[in-house]
Amino acid sequence: MEIASKEFSNQDITVTYDPCICTLSGKCAKELSNVFSNTVIPWINLDEGNTEDIIKQIQKCPSGALQFHKKNKKQVI
Ligand code: SF4
């Protein structure tokens, strides 16, 4: 069965969120609250942060629920 994930994009990257593996740590919302909200996890608004900060925050996600790829070349970290 395919796991449902959600996608969010800005002009540089596409961010995916997998609710099935998110541990609800709240780390993303605590550390970059203008982009990630924990009132609705995740409410991701990529327009509220710069791409570099968003990528750094995604790389700190402890569960790997947040992933991204750059739009010009596919790269998932
Ligand atoms: S940092 Fe990762 S595991 Fe924690 S709430 Fe955000 S998406 Fe979920």
Side-chain angles (χ1 to χ4, degrees):
M1 190 167 105
E2 191 175 326
I3 295 170
S5 66
K6 300 184 181 187
E7 280 196 9
F8 307 81
S9 295
N10 65 12
Q11 70 276 13
D12 302 317
I13 57 172
T14 295
V15 175
T16 60
Y17 168 73
D18 185 342
C20 296
I21 60 174
C22 174
T23 55
L24 303 178
S25 69
K27 186 176 178 70
C28 53
K30 259 183 244 154
E31 297 180 2
L32 198 61
S33 60
N34 49 340
V35 174
F36 301 96
S37 166
N38 61 5
T39 52
V40 181
I41 290 198
W43 186 257
I44 300 177
N45 186 350
L46 297 182
D47 294 333
E48 294 297 323
N50 72 56
T51 298
E52 199 177 314
D53 290 343
I54 293 167
I55 288 172
K56 282 183 192 162
Q57 193 61 51
I58 289 169
Q59 290 171 332
K60 291 195 265 180
C61 172
S63 69
L66 290 171
Q67 301 283 328
F68 76 96
H69 63 261
K70 293 183 179 174
K71 283 189 165 175
N72 53 353
K73 52 181 174 181
K74 280 255 182 197
Q75 179 185 13
V76 177
I77 294 179

